[in-house]
Coordinates of all heavy atoms in Angstrom, one line a residue:
V285 N -30.4 30.1 45.6 CA -30.9 30.7 46.8 C -31.4 32.1 46.5 O -32.4 32.6 47.1 CB -29.8 30.8 47.9 CG1 -30.2 31.7 49.1 CG2 -29.4 29.4 48.4
L286 N -30.8 32.8 45.5 CA -31.1 34.2 45.2 C -32.2 34.3 44.2 O -32.9 35.3 44.1 CB -29.9 34.9 44.7 CG -28.6 34.9 45.6 CD1 -27.5 35.7 44.9 CD2 -29.0 35.6 46.9
A287 N -32.4 33.3 43.3 CA -33.3 33.5 42.2 C -34.0 32.2 41.8 O -33.4 31.1 42.1 CB -32.6 34.1 41.0
Q309 N -35.8 37.1 40.8 CA -35.3 37.1 42.1 C -36.3 36.4 43.0 O -37.5 36.6 42.9 CB -35.0 38.5 42.6 CG -34.3 38.5 44.0 CD -33.9 39.9 44.4 OE1 -34.2 40.9 43.7 NE2 -33.3 40.0 45.6
R310 N -35.9 35.7 44.0 CA -36.7 35.1 45.1 C -37.1 36.2 46.1 O -36.4 37.2 46.3 CB -36.0 34.0 45.8 CG -35.7 32.8 45.0 CD -35.2 31.6 45.8 NE -34.9 30.5 45.0 CZ -35.8 29.6 44.7 NH1 -37.1 29.7 45.1 NH2 -35.5 28.5 43.9
L311 N -38.3 36.1 46.6 CA -38.9 37.1 47.4 C -38.1 37.3 48.7 O -37.9 38.4 49.2 CB -40.4 36.8 47.8 CG -41.4 36.9 46.6 CD1 -42.8 36.5 47.1 CD2 -41.4 38.4 46.2
R312 N -37.6 36.2 49.3 CA -36.8 36.3 50.6 C -35.4 36.2 50.3 O -34.6 35.6 51.1 CB -37.4 35.3 51.6 CG -38.8 35.6 52.0 CD -39.3 34.5 52.9 NE -40.6 34.8 53.5 CZ -41.7 34.6 52.8 NH1 -41.7 34.1 51.6 NH2 -42.9 35.0 53.3
S313 N -34.9 36.8 49.3 CA -33.5 36.8 49.0 C -32.7 37.6 50.1 O -33.1 38.6 50.6 CB -33.2 37.5 47.6 OG -31.9 37.9 47.5
P314 N -31.5 37.1 50.4 CA -30.7 37.8 51.4 C -30.0 39.1 50.9 O -29.3 39.8 51.6 CB -29.6 36.8 51.8 CG -29.4 35.9 50.6 CD -30.8 35.9 50.0
L315 N -30.2 39.5 49.6 CA -29.6 40.6 49.0 C -30.2 41.9 49.6 O -31.4 42.0 49.9 CB -29.7 40.6 47.5 CG -29.1 39.4 46.7 CD1 -29.4 39.6 45.2 CD2 -27.6 39.4 47.0
A316 N -29.4 42.9 49.7 CA -29.8 44.2 50.1 C -30.8 44.8 49.0 O -30.6 44.6 47.8 CB -28.7 45.2 50.2

Side-chain angles (χ1 to χ4, degrees):
V285 171
L286 302 180
Q309 186 177 1
R310 292 188 182 273
L311 288 177
R312 291 177 177 83
S313 160
L315 298 178

